[in-house]
Amino acid sequence: MARSLAQTAEPHDALARALRATGQSLGWRLGAVWEPVPDRPEALTCVETWHAFGIAAEEFEAASRSLTLVSGEGLPGRVWESGEPSWIPDVLADDNFPRASAARRAGLHAAFCFPIRSARGVLGVIEFFTGEPRRLDPELLRTMTAIGDQIGQAVERRRDSESLRAKEARHRAMLEAALDCVVTMDHEGCVIDFNPAAERTFGHAASDAVGRDMAELIIPPELRERHRHGLARYIATEQPTLLDHRLEITGMRADGTTFPVELTITRIDVPGPPTFTGYLRDITERKAAEAELKASRARIVEAADEARRQLERDLHDGAQQRLVELALDLQMARSRLDDEPAGAQELLDAALRDLQDATKELRELARGIHPAALTEGGLRPALEALAARSSVPARLVGVPDGRFAAPVEATAYFSVAEGLTNAARHANAAKVEIEVVRVDSCLHVEVRDDGRGGAESSGGSGLRGLADRVAALDGEVEVISPTSGGTVLRVEIPCG
């Protein structure tokens, strides 16, 4: 029995070998192992059988494997319930043996059963049968009880080993599937683990990284001394300063280029000297997005200031001057009203003309700030007017009826305006199509021209300003402009 248990690594194999070794040593006909049902710990099921050579026991084995016994039911259930071995001189005469018919056809009579025990309790039971009735053998039961304890301990050790291997496999699979870099370092600063994400990010193969000094591997030269000093201080004092905090530092790739990373360092709770794991994430794209956001905000502020200055100049040089002239004409007309009625009439006529011109200029200014047609009628009339004023023949293919939120309508309007302006100024286009459709909770705006193409989305201040306006609504701008000709300005604006 000891040899059979020592030669197995798997719990199932250990039980099978123990069953065969016991049956052959004792000269009994058939044996079976019973264990708790996985989802019903109060019930038992047959998981392994053995029979001696030349014994026709297939029917009995099949009956055992198809049976589920609750605590106290049948021979296995009785031993499972009591935790003590049990003997039946003849199963055919036993009132609590559900497989009596199958046992009769197999020629089985005497049976004994003993528990498989470990420090955690009863793991299962083993039963054996012979071909003739036999009286109780107390010494055999005592021996098998001791052997059951040995089997239980062996099975428990193998199950613990299986569980540990499964846990290690899960841990390795998690490391390999992780999107973040996971780098583990010992107390001397050497790499002891380097997952695939770290390989992709830093450009080192794990086989080359493991065993190397981490500071030389992924830390820029100007930061290495600081890293080593911090590690030495922690080893000496075990007082953490950076552990379990998110940091933004600089990493170094295999080619020497540096990039921003987000880093969290934790100490692994394992025996022996301190071991540390760093979780790193390349934040180059995030930093670029933050920089672009900051720049777009600055451009918005600058554009707003410039728009106010332009409005001030337009009012000062245009409508304001006309209103000043209007005031002077009215004052002169009032002074001549009694003495020179005809002259006063001329001055009043001139004042009316100035008032009309000032009103016209103010209306033009207002259209540039926010079109009145958009405020009063919505997208359809505003875009129809915009297409009608276009210097390049423009056709409005479609526009949804109904109103949208004011910021959505304004963004759609100025998107079309920017597309028409670019078609007229840069594309040398002969015609333009405008199409606005609603798809789910987004408004899709497209301005298509047949110009020379080759436009760049970051080429002009107009498109940058439009991108900033659209981004403020969490929308997106796309410019498709192949050099073969034609440009599509596509804008997606959330409108839910």
Side-chain angles (χ1 to χ4, degrees):
M1 180 68 69
R3 283 195 300 271
S4 70
L5 293 177
Q7 293 170 358
T8 60
E10 302 295 331
H12 183 79
D13 292 342
L15 288 173
R17 284 177 175 266
L19 203 62
R20 183 171 62 252
T22 303
Q24 290 175 346
S25 299
L26 296 178
W28 288 55
R29 287 192 172 192
L30 184 142
V33 179
W34 296 74
E35 289 184 344
V37 179
D39 56 348
R40 291 180 58 195
E42 76 283 357
L44 291 174
T45 185
C46 180
V47 297
E48 185 68 40
T49 60
W50 164 87
H51 64 264
F53 181 74
I55 302 300
E58 290 79 7
E59 181 187 354
F60 184 82
E61 288 179 340
S64 298
R65 289 184 178 274
S66 65
L67 195 62
T68 300
L69 301 175
V70 298
S71 179
E73 184 180 11
L75 180 59
R78 278 179 274 179
V79 175
W80 174 254
E81 182 180 50
S82 66
E84 298 296 332
S86 181
W87 184 287
I88 300 178
D90 189 348
V91 295
L92 302 183
D94 192 87
D95 294 335
N96 186 8
F97 194 81
R99 296 166 289 165
S101 298
R104 180 183 295 107
R105 288 188 288 272
L108 303 178
H109 289 275
F112 72 89
C113 183
F114 60 93
I116 307 171
R117 293 185 295 206
S118 74
R120 299 180 185 177
V122 179
L123 305 179
V125 300
I126 296 179
E127 63 178 359
F128 282 97
F129 299 88
T130 190
E132 66 280 343
R134 290 191 184 183
R135 295 167 58 184
L136 171 65
D137 187 341
E139 184 178 353
L140 177 60
L141 282 187
R142 285 194 298 270
T143 301
M144 297 314 301
T145 300
I147 289 178
D149 293 343
Q150 296 298 318
I151 295 173
Q153 293 175 22
V155 170
E156 191 70 19
R157 285 194 299 271
R158 283 155 178 75
R159 286 181 178 175
D160 288 343
S161 177
E162 267 192 348
S163 176
L164 180 60
R165 287 197 299 271
K167 186 180 296 185
E168 290 175 346
R170 287 195 300 271
H171 175 70
R172 177 54 54 186
M174 290 171 60
L175 286 180
E176 292 180 354
L179 298 178
D180 288 346
C181 307
V182 182
V183 181
T184 303
M185 175 188 75
D186 64 17
H187 66 291
E188 295 180 339
C190 294
V191 175
I192 58 178
D193 209 344
F194 207 73
N195 79 329
E199 291 182 310
R200 294 190 297 270
T201 300
F202 290 99
H204 296 283
S207 57
D208 296 332
V210 172
R212 292 181 58 183
D213 179 33
M214 194 186 75
E216 299 288 339
L217 193 70
I218 64 174
I219 298 178
E222 64 272 15
L223 299 178
R224 291 171 186 169
E225 191 58 35
R226 180 180 173 186
H227 160 76
R228 294 187 177 110
H229 177 73
L231 176 60
R233 183 179 63 247
Y234 180 83
I235 296 300
T237 65
E238 293 201 358
Q239 296 297 318
T241 56
L242 300 180
L243 292 185
D244 303 317
H245 290 83
R246 291 187 184 275
L247 312 170
E248 290 187 3
I249 63 170
T250 303
M252 184 181 70
R253 296 187 178 90
D255 60 4
T257 58
T258 59
F259 62 104
V261 298
E262 183 180 78
L263 166 67
T264 303
I265 306 173
T266 62
R267 177 176 175 176
I268 306 175
D269 187 15
V270 294
T275 302
F276 308 91
T277 293
Y279 303 91
L280 303 99
R281 178 177 300 173
D282 185 349
I283 56 173
T284 302
E285 293 184 0
R286 192 180 80 189
K287 285 296 185 181
E290 290 174 355
E292 175 58 25
L293 177 60
K294 185 176 181 180
S296 69
R297 288 174 176 170
R299 289 195 298 268
I300 290 173
V301 172
E302 183 180 350
D305 292 340
E306 178 59 29
R308 283 193 292 270
R309 287 192 293 269
Q310 183 64 41
L311 180 60
E312 180 183 6
R313 287 194 297 269
D314 290 344
L315 288 172
H316 179 272
D317 298 340
Q320 182 176 332
Q321 295 298 327
R322 293 188 182 279
L323 291 174
V324 170
E325 293 176 2
L326 172 61
L328 292 174
D329 288 343
L330 290 175
Q331 288 176 359
M332 292 176 64
R334 184 177 62 182
S335 63
R336 296 181 183 181
L337 190 59
D338 295 332
D339 299 334
E340 300 180 39
Q345 182 66 39
E346 292 179 2
L347 290 173
L348 288 174
D349 291 340
L352 286 173
R353 288 192 298 271
D354 288 340
L355 180 59
Q356 291 173 350
D357 291 340
T359 301
K360 182 178 179 182
E361 286 193 13
L362 288 173
R363 188 178 294 114
E364 292 295 328
L365 282 173
R367 181 182 294 116
I369 298 171
H370 194 87
L374 187 62
T375 302
E376 296 169 0
L379 271 179
R380 181 177 291 278
L383 295 182
E384 288 174 348
L386 196 59
R389 295 198 304 270
S390 174
S391 58
V392 178
R395 182 170 72 93
L396 188 61
V397 176
V399 60
D401 294 322
R403 301 300 302 268
F404 299 90
V408 174
E409 291 185 340
T411 301
Y413 177 88
F414 288 112
S415 298
V416 174
E418 179 64 25
L420 292 175
T421 299
N422 288 337
R425 291 182 179 177
H426 309 296
N428 195 25
K431 63 179 180 179
V432 180
E433 289 185 345
I434 304 164
E435 185 173 11
V436 183
V437 295
R438 178 169 185 167
V439 179
D440 297 329
S441 60
C442 285
L443 200 64
H444 291 247
V445 180
E446 279 194 4
V447 181
R448 304 182 288 266
D449 68 52
D450 61 351
R452 57 172 168 257
E456 296 182 2
S457 59
S458 58
S461 59
L463 282 175
R464 285 200 304 271
L466 176 63
D468 292 340
R469 179 190 288 270
V470 174
L473 298 181
D474 291 330
E476 296 181 358
V477 176
E478 181 182 13
V479 177
I480 304 171
S481 186
T483 55
S484 57
T487 297
V488 178
L489 172 63
R490 184 174 296 155
V491 180
E492 184 178 307
I493 310 167
C495 61

